[in-house]
Amino acid sequence: MPVHEYKTGDVIMGSIPHGADLLDALTRICEERGVTVGLVSLIGSVSSAALAFYHQDIKTYENLAPVEIPMEIVSAMGNVSLKDGKPMVHLHMILSSSAGLCVAGHLIRGTKVFALEFSITKLSGPALERGMDNLTGLNLWKE
């Protein structure tokens, strides 16, 4: 069980352009700013959403369809670590329709930004590298 202590470093804040792929944009920001370990939070809205749910029994992700588009981001939190030596953003989101109905899941490529502000907190401490965990079928932090 990997447990480490980190010190907070620089906080990178900004907006992501309308129409951009959310996951690709966050990953690019981390690559450009040298974020290898960090925390991510978002506020805003999306014009299309791509989320997934992981089925533990069959060890596969199922893509979820949101209730309504556009959707407001109610909550979005995640982290940054390394996978194959490159920054990987792992983020979960809750999205709300105009009726207040929510959908939630694991962010995958295909979510298009309407208007979005992000905050990425860089952490200093041991690198966290992801690798395949045979028990779960997920890319988890290695010990």
Side-chain angles (χ1 to χ4, degrees):
M1 177 174 72
V3 177
H4 306 287
E5 291 187 24
Y6 293 88
K7 294 196 183 315
T8 56
D10 294 336
V11 177
I12 303 160
M13 295 180 71
S15 59
I16 294 179
H18 179 86
D21 182 276
L22 178 54
L23 187 56
D24 287 344
L26 290 170
T27 301
R28 189 170 40 258
I29 291 164
C30 290
E31 289 171 346
E32 291 171 355
R33 300 293 177 127
V35 180
T36 58
V37 181
L39 304 172
V40 180
S41 64
L42 311 172
I43 57 173
S45 59
V46 297
S47 55
S48 68
L51 300 173
F53 176 84
Y54 189 73
H55 290 280
Q56 297 175 11
D57 52 345
I58 57 176
K59 297 181 182 173
T60 189
Y61 280 99
E62 175 188 358
N63 292 355
L64 303 175
V67 175
E68 177 183 314
I69 294 296
M71 298 193 91
E72 190 79 16
I73 299 170
V74 176
S75 179
M77 62 183 290
N79 58 55
V80 180
S81 54
L82 296 173
K83 182 173 181 287
D84 301 325
K86 296 181 180 182
M88 179 189 143
V89 176
H90 181 203
L91 192 98
H92 288 211
M93 295 175 57
I94 302 170
L95 302 172
S96 174
S97 71
S98 62
L101 301 174
C102 292
V103 63
H106 173 88
L107 177 68
I108 58 176
R109 283 185 170 75
T111 296
K112 298 297 180 194
V113 170
F114 179 76
L116 192 132
E117 298 167 349
F118 69 88
S119 174
I120 300 172
T121 302
K122 288 174 116 177
L123 300 175
S124 60
L128 287 172
E129 181 80 32
R130 291 186 177 275
M132 181 55 65
D133 176 75
N134 292 327
L135 178 65
T136 65
L138 294 167
N139 283 303
L140 300 179
W141 292 332
K142 298 178 191 176
E143 298 222 20

